[in-house]
Amino acid sequence: MNSFLTPPNSISTKTMDRKRFLGIAAGAVLIAGSAYYLTSDTSNLVRDDINPGEIEKFPLKADEEAILFLASLAPSGHNTQPWFIKYVQPYHWLICNDRGRWLPGVDPQQRETILSIGAFVQNLEYAAHHLGYYCKFTMLAATNQDENILNVILTKTGNTAQYDIQKIKLRRTIRSEYLVDALSKEDLAYLINGQTDFLHFVPNTAKEYKLINEQTIEANRQQAYRNAAQAELATWIRFTSKDTERYRDGLTLAGMEIEGLTAWYLRNFYDKTDVMKSAFRQQSIDQVKRQVSQSAGWLLISSKGSSVNQLLETGMRMQRLFVDVRGRNIAIHPMTQILEETNNKQSINQITGISDTVQFVLRTGYVKNYPQPVSLRRPVDWFIRPNTT
């Protein structure tokens, strides 16, 4: 899932040309006390800075709004949030596929779109159970391109599953500062959870680990220099705080873990045209090289096929894993370019010997500190529509 895409970490101070960086730093010092600095874009917006907004289109029940917002905290490629809800009546909705949020440059068959919607569905089910509702889902879609994916009716049961919804709220993709320590047997068993038909771990001591690293770097290189993919990426990067607040989606600087002076420079002096320049492309590849050198291994999620139902189930499986790892200080970073670029010398199946279809490639490892989530989400009112069918 291409949030699974690795967003280029733009210009990090570690990789920036020394002369250029010193010039930027000197300029920052000169303007630090000036009116320009005070009126410039000085800090990254994060999730806590944004007011979720108020429901206006539909008089939603409080539980409906809570459930749908928690569902929307699911990950998606470039954080496009490719779902919307058709409102039939209270607690009866259609979960839909938003064509305007597809990523044809890296996901031309909408495989990753459906996986993302599966993650959304899993969050919805967890949140509904927490508030004492049973979800009845009915499949509507026959293809990845169909608009209506699932019909869902929520029925109050009087019982609560006591699911810890903080797990949904605190889920975060971490891209840097992974430890190379091996996962303990207990933690690995916890991750796999007996699902050996679907979850496969490649430790950093295995020869396959090095091959996946190499092919991931190569796939990122291909994608960075493929103009359609790079232009698509540029469309979804939110450099300025103004765009961040306006859209509440996409790849923000905070979400890409860019802070401090570098973030200030990018917010004030970068735009989408810079993403297409060679320097930006090369810096993103260099960042990937650093990332793949830091992990305990690769966790792969496969499915028996690629029907809409199987993709939804796989997205749900991934989300169940993703919301559970924080408590063990295990980070997950989806890096799916190896599945998206067809010119790789070796496919993930050839490297690992997995016969089923690999749907997720997740870099995995321990981290010392688990930061709070910062990626933005649209208010519920922005992704709910009347059912006119």
Side-chain angles (χ1 to χ4, degrees), residues 79-118:
N79 189 27
T80 63
Q81 303 168 41
W83 45 72
F84 71 93
I85 295 294
K86 288 182 181 177
Y87 195 82
V88 180
Q89 61 184 15
Y91 301 104
H92 180 188
W93 317 316
L94 303 184
I95 300 172
C96 299
N97 185 348
D98 191 340
R99 178 182 294 270
R101 293 175 175 274
W102 289 355
L103 295 170
V106 294
D107 184 32
Q109 302 303 317
Q110 289 70 58
R111 178 188 69 87
E112 296 177 11
T113 296
I114 301 300
L115 291 170
S116 296
I117 293 173

Side-chain angles (χ1 to χ4, degrees), residues 105-146:
V106 294
D107 184 32
Q109 302 303 317
Q110 289 70 58
R111 178 188 69 87
E112 296 177 11
T113 296
I114 301 300
L115 291 170
S116 296
I117 293 173
F120 176 93
V121 171
Q122 183 60 72
N123 273 1
L124 188 154
E125 186 173 52
Y126 275 152
H129 287 179
H130 173 77
L131 292 173
Y133 294 89
Y134 167 76
C135 299
K136 180 181 179 181
F137 295 102
T138 304
M139 176 65 67
L140 301 175
T143 74
N144 295 351
Q145 293 75 38
D146 288 347

Side-chain angles (χ1 to χ4, degrees), residues 115 118-119 122 126 191-192 195 197-199 300-304 310-323 360 362:
L115 291 170
Q122 183 60 72
Y126 275 152
L191 294 180
I192 301 299
Q195 302 175 79
D197 280 354
F198 302 102
L199 274 67
L300 312 177
I301 305 180
S302 64
S303 64
K304 299 298 181 182
Q310 288 167 320
L311 290 176
L312 289 171
E313 289 179 348
T314 304
M316 294 176 74
R317 179 172 287 110
M318 185 281 304
Q319 185 66 358
R320 290 195 294 271
L321 173 71
F322 218 155
V323 297
F360 285 104
L362 309 173

Side-chain angles (χ1 to χ4, degrees), residues 65-83:
E65 183 178 357
I67 290 166
L68 288 172
F69 182 72
L70 287 168
S72 76
L73 297 180
S76 57
H78 291 350
N79 189 27
T80 63
Q81 303 168 41
W83 45 72

Side-chain angles (χ1 to χ4, degrees), residues 101-311:
R101 293 175 175 274
W102 289 355
L103 295 170
V106 294
D107 184 32
Q109 302 303 317
Q110 289 70 58
R111 178 188 69 87
E112 296 177 11
T113 296
I114 301 300
L115 291 170
S116 296
I117 293 173
F120 176 93
V121 171
Q122 183 60 72
N123 273 1
L124 188 154
E125 186 173 52
Y126 275 152
H129 287 179
H130 173 77
L131 292 173
Y133 294 89
Y134 167 76
C135 299
K136 180 181 179 181
F137 295 102
T138 304
M139 176 65 67
L140 301 175
T143 74
N144 295 351
Q145 293 75 38
D146 288 347
E147 181 171 273
N148 298 335
I149 303 298
L150 289 169
N151 181 83
V152 58
I153 299 175
L154 279 64
T155 305
K156 191 73 170 178
T157 66
N159 300 318
T160 56
Q162 298 299 317
Y163 180 78
D164 183 5
I165 58 172
Q166 285 299 111
K167 291 183 177 182
I168 297 175
K169 294 179 178 180
L170 293 175
R171 183 207 63 80
R172 172 169 175 159
T173 298
I174 300 179
R175 296 175 171 82
S176 59
E177 304 301 326
Y178 280 44
L179 304 177
V180 296
D181 300 7
L183 296 183
S184 70
K185 291 182 179 179
E186 294 76 14
D187 284 341
L188 183 56
Y190 178 82
L191 294 180
I192 301 299
N193 194 27
Q195 302 175 79
T196 53
D197 280 354
F198 302 102
L199 274 67
H200 320 268
F201 183 66
V202 181
N204 60 12
T205 54
K207 63 179 182 179
E208 293 85 358
Y209 171 84
K210 182 179 179 180
L211 290 172
I212 296 175
N213 285 2
E214 292 172 351
Q215 292 301 307
T216 297
I217 294 169
E218 173 58 20
N220 274 273
R221 187 196 66 77
Q222 292 175 16
Q223 196 163 102
Y225 284 95
R226 189 159 56 80
N227 284 340
Q230 196 71 1
E232 188 170 79
L233 171 65
T235 299
W236 288 97
I237 293 182
R238 310 299 183 217
F239 283 114
T240 68
S241 296
K242 181 179 179 180
D243 280 350
T244 297
E245 187 166 12
R246 176 185 177 186
Y247 295 108
R248 305 192 198 183
D249 59 13
L251 300 169
T252 66
L253 298 180
M256 293 189 286
E257 301 175 7
I258 305 173
E259 302 288 346
L261 177 61
T262 306
W264 174 84
Y265 179 76
L266 293 173
R267 281 194 305 274
N268 289 281
F269 300 105
Y270 248 57
D271 61 29
K272 299 181 188 305
T273 61
D274 293 290
V275 179
M276 303 303 293
K277 295 178 180 178
S278 295
F280 190 100
R281 301 185 200 222
Q282 187 56 50
Q283 285 154 0
S284 70
I285 298 167
D286 292 341
Q287 177 68 7
V288 169
K289 290 178 181 178
R290 287 190 295 275
Q291 289 172 339
V292 300
S293 70
Q294 301 174 349
S295 77
W298 294 97
L299 186 60
L300 312 177
I301 305 180
S302 64
S303 64
K304 299 298 181 182
S306 293
S307 68
V308 176
N309 187 59
Q310 288 167 320
L311 290 176

